[in-house]
Amino acid sequence: MLSTGRGDTFTINCSGFDQDGVDPAAFQAVFDRKAFRPVVNYSIPIQVNISFTMSAILEVNEQLQLMTSLLWLNVIWYNQFIRWNPEECGGIRTLSIVAENLWIPDIFIQEFMDIDQTPTGLMAYVNSDGRIKYDKPMQVVSICNLDIFYFPFDEQNCTLTFSSFIYTVENMVLGMEKEVSEILNTSQSLIQSKGEWVLLGIYQRAMKMTVDTEEYDQIIFYVDIRRRPTLYVINLLVPSSFLIAIDALSFYLPAESQTRAPFKMTLLLGYNVFLLMMNDILPDSGTPLISIYFALCLSMMVLSLLETIFISYLLHLATTQPPPMPRWLHSLLLHGTRAMKCCPTVPQKGTKGLDLTPAHLPGLKEPVELVGKVPDPREAELRGCPGSTMARQEDVAQKQHLVGLWVQFSHMMDSLLFRLYLLFMATFVITVIVLWNT
C-alpha cells in the first residue's frame, strides 16, 4: 500500500518483505501512476540523467553514410511516489521491477535510422529513496556525415543526439550521469570489436532544440573514430608503389633495346588488373585521395610508355632516314651533352658521345650497305671515276655523323624526360603524403 505522509512524502509499507517476499500490492498504486510523470508538483520538470557505454563499432557504411554501434544506455531519475524505510524492510535497499510497470522517460537518438530492436521484459533497479536506474542495450544504426577524402587514413566524427520526443523543457530536463571522460574510458576498456575502427574520443554538448514555440532539451555526444589503415596499406599502397618504382627503374633499360616498350606495356596492363581487383576495397561514394593517387600513378605509367614510344621513333628515324639537323638543335645538343657529362643521371645506352658503332643501332645498316657497295680503287680507276670512291666515303661519313647526332639527341631527350618523370612523381607523392598527414 502507498501511504501519504507530510507534504510531498510517499512511503511504501514494506513490512514482511524480508520474510514473505515483496508484496506486489504495495507497489500497485505506483504502477497505476505509470502514465504520468512521477512528480508531486506537476509544474516542476523532472530531472533525467543519461550516460552510455559504447561496447562495439560494428560497421561504418560510407555509401549509405551510416554507423552501426552497440550501446548500453543508462537512464536515471527519481520517482517521488516510491519511498520505503530499509530498516522496516529487513535492510532491503534495492529492488528490481519490470520496467513496463514504471514510468519510463522517452529518450531517443535523433540520428537513429533503423527500427528499435530493444528486447522486452527489461528490469529497472529501484532504490529505497526513489532513485530508478534503467539500462538497456541498443544496436544503433545512426546517420553520420562521413568524409572519405583521406581514406584510408581518415578520422570520422559522428554525433549521437539524445532528446525527448514528447516532453519539453517545462516537463523534463536532461543531465549527465557521468563525466564524459569516464564514459570514454569505460567504452575504450569494454569495446570488444577489434575490427576496422578505433574509438579516439567522446565529447559532449548540451543545447535546446526549438520546434515552433516549444523547446526540447538535448545532449549531443560527438564520437571521434579512426580507421585502422594497415589492411589498405598492405593491399593497396604497397603493391602500387612497387609497380610505379619498377616502371621508373625500367628507364635504365637501353633505349635501343626492343624490350623496354613491351616491358612497360606489361606493367601498365598489370596495374590495370590490380586496380580492377582492388575496386571492391575502395569506398563506393565520393573521391578519396587514394583514388587520385592511383589515377596519377596510372597516368605516370602511360606517360612513361609514350616517352618510350617517342624515343624509339627518334632512334628509328635516326637510323633509317635521318633528316638534316637544324643549327639551333645542334647547338642545344652540344650544351645538353656538356650538362649531362657534368651531372650524369641516366647512362648513355648503346652509344657514347659521337663515337657510334653502327652495328649497335637497330635498323642502321653498314655504311657500305647504306649507300651501295664501295668499289675497289683499282676498279674505280678502270671505270674512269677515280674520285667517286672518295666522294662516297665522305658521304657515308657525313651520314654516319648525322645518325650519331640524332641518336645523341634521342639519348638526351630520354635523359631529360626521365628527370621530368622523377620530378613529377616525387612532387605528387610528397603532396599526397602531406595531405594524408594533415
Side-chain angles (χ1 to χ4, degrees):
M1 294 179 63
L2 186 65
S3 60
T4 304
R6 294 182 302 171
D8 58 354
T9 302
F10 291 80
T11 305
I12 294 176
N13 185 6
C14 61
S15 60
F17 280 11
D18 57 336
Q19 297 177 357
D20 303 326
V22 178
D23 184 9
F27 292 90
Q28 191 59 47
V30 176
F31 297 160
D32 293 340
R33 293 172 177 262
K34 69 177 183 178
F36 305 95
R37 287 188 300 121
V39 292
V40 176
N41 188 348
Y42 218 70
S43 63
I44 299 178
I46 186 172
Q47 174 79 30
V48 177
N49 295 332
I50 63 173
S51 67
F52 69 90
T53 301
M54 180 175 287
S55 58
I57 302 173
L58 303 179
E59 182 185 7
V60 176
N61 192 319
E62 293 88 356
Q63 183 177 8
L64 299 178
Q65 300 282 293
L66 296 176
M67 180 184 71
T68 304
S69 57
L70 184 60
L71 301 184
W72 284 89
L73 179 62
N74 314 119
V75 185
I76 295 94
W77 71 96
Y78 280 86
N79 190 321
Q80 297 182 4
F81 301 120
I82 299 179
R83 295 286 190 279
W84 72 82
N85 188 350
E87 297 179 358
E88 297 177 359
C89 304
I92 298 176
R93 297 183 178 275
T94 304
L95 293 174
S96 59
I97 301 177
V98 177
E100 297 176 356
N101 294 326
L102 299 171
W103 177 87
I104 303 295
D106 64 323
I107 302 298
F108 77 104
I109 300 175
Q110 291 186 4
E111 293 84 2
F112 201 85
M113 298 296 293
D114 202 357
I115 300 175
D116 189 3
Q117 301 178 358
T118 302
T120 58
L122 297 177
M123 307 296 289
Y125 293 94
V126 182
N127 288 354
S128 59
D129 58 352
R131 182 179 184 271
I132 299 178
K133 182 181 180 183
Y134 175 60
D135 301 336
K136 67 173 183 178
M138 301 177 62
Q139 180 174 319
V140 179
V141 181
S142 59
I143 189 170
C144 181
N145 187 16
L146 301 175
D147 182 10
I148 61 171
F149 180 73
Y150 297 103
F151 173 90
F153 303 98
D154 53 329
E155 294 184 9
Q156 306 296 341
N157 194 292
C158 300
T159 59
L160 298 175
T161 305
F162 292 85
S163 181
S164 172
F165 187 76
I166 300 176
Y167 298 105
T168 64
V169 293
E170 298 176 354
N171 299 317
M172 186 172 70
V173 294
L174 299 180
M176 293 289 297
E177 176 63 21
K178 299 178 181 178
E179 294 293 333
V180 179
S181 58
E182 185 179 354
I183 295 176
L184 174 61
N185 294 334
T186 305
S187 299
Q188 289 178 335
S189 61
L190 295 181
I191 197 164
Q192 300 174 0
S193 175
K194 301 299 182 183
E196 186 177 354
W197 295 91
V198 179
L199 178 62
L200 295 181
I202 298 177
Y203 312 95
Q204 173 264 337
R205 181 167 67 98
M207 62 176 297
K208 290 178 172 56
M209 178 183 65
T210 302
V211 180
D212 294 332
T213 59
E214 304 291 343
E215 285 189 344
Y216 297 85
D217 227 1
Q218 289 183 340
I219 297 181
I220 304 176
F221 292 93
Y222 300 92
V223 181
D224 192 12
I225 57 178
R226 182 181 62 195
R227 193 191 305 266
R228 287 188 173 98
T230 307
L231 173 67
Y232 303 98
V233 170
I234 295 176
N235 291 332
L236 295 178
L237 295 180
V238 172
S240 177
S241 302
F242 282 162
L243 289 175
I244 198 69
I246 293 174
D247 182 69
L249 292 175
S250 65
F251 277 93
Y252 284 92
L253 292 174
E256 298 82 0
S257 173
Q258 303 295 326
T259 60
R260 186 200 276 192
F263 182 77
K264 287 183 176 292
M265 285 188 286
T266 303
L267 280 179
L268 184 61
L269 178 61
Y271 196 78
N272 279 279
V273 174
F274 162 75
L275 292 181
L276 290 176
M277 294 177 60
M278 295 297 105
N279 190 43
D280 294 336
I281 300 181
L282 295 174
D284 296 330
S285 61
T287 305
L289 187 60
I290 193 172
S291 296
I292 301 175
Y293 170 78
F294 288 153
L296 288 175
C297 288
L298 184 63
S299 301
M300 293 294 295
M301 298 181 75
V302 171
L303 291 176
S304 172
L305 178 60
L306 293 178
E307 184 271 346
T308 299
I309 294 174
F310 174 67
I311 297 300
S312 299
Y313 170 75
L314 286 181
L315 289 174
H316 175 74
L317 186 66
T319 55
T320 54
Q321 296 178 351
M325 179 170 288
R327 291 184 178 274
W328 64 268
L329 187 58
H330 185 259
S331 176
L332 180 65
L333 178 62
L334 293 178
H335 286 85
T337 304
R338 294 193 192 100
M340 285 190 295
K341 287 181 179 180
C342 294
C343 305
T345 55
V346 182
Q348 298 298 316
K349 315 168 191 72
T351 60
K352 188 173 183 181
L354 300 179
D355 300 330
L356 301 173
T357 304
H360 291 84
L361 298 178
L364 178 64
K365 300 180 180 180
E366 292 292 340
V368 175
E369 296 178 358
L370 184 65
V371 295
K373 184 177 180 182
V374 179
D376 185 78
R378 295 179 180 178
E379 183 181 353
E381 290 179 0
L382 292 175
R383 292 181 180 180
C385 49
S388 61
T389 301
M390 186 65 65
R392 291 183 181 182
Q393 288 180 348
E394 291 179 358
D395 185 59
V396 169
Q398 290 179 358
K399 288 183 179 293
Q400 184 175 351
H401 179 71
L402 185 60
V403 168
L405 290 177
W406 280 108
V407 171
Q408 187 72 10
F409 174 73
S410 301
H411 288 157
M412 186 185 72
M413 290 299 299
D414 190 29
S415 177
L416 176 63
L417 292 175
F418 176 60
R419 294 179 184 182
L420 293 177
Y421 179 90
L422 291 180
L423 177 63
F424 186 73
M425 183 175 66
T427 301
F428 93 79
V429 167
I430 293 174
T431 302
V432 169
I433 293 176
V434 169
L435 288 176
W436 265 327
N437 287 334
T438 56

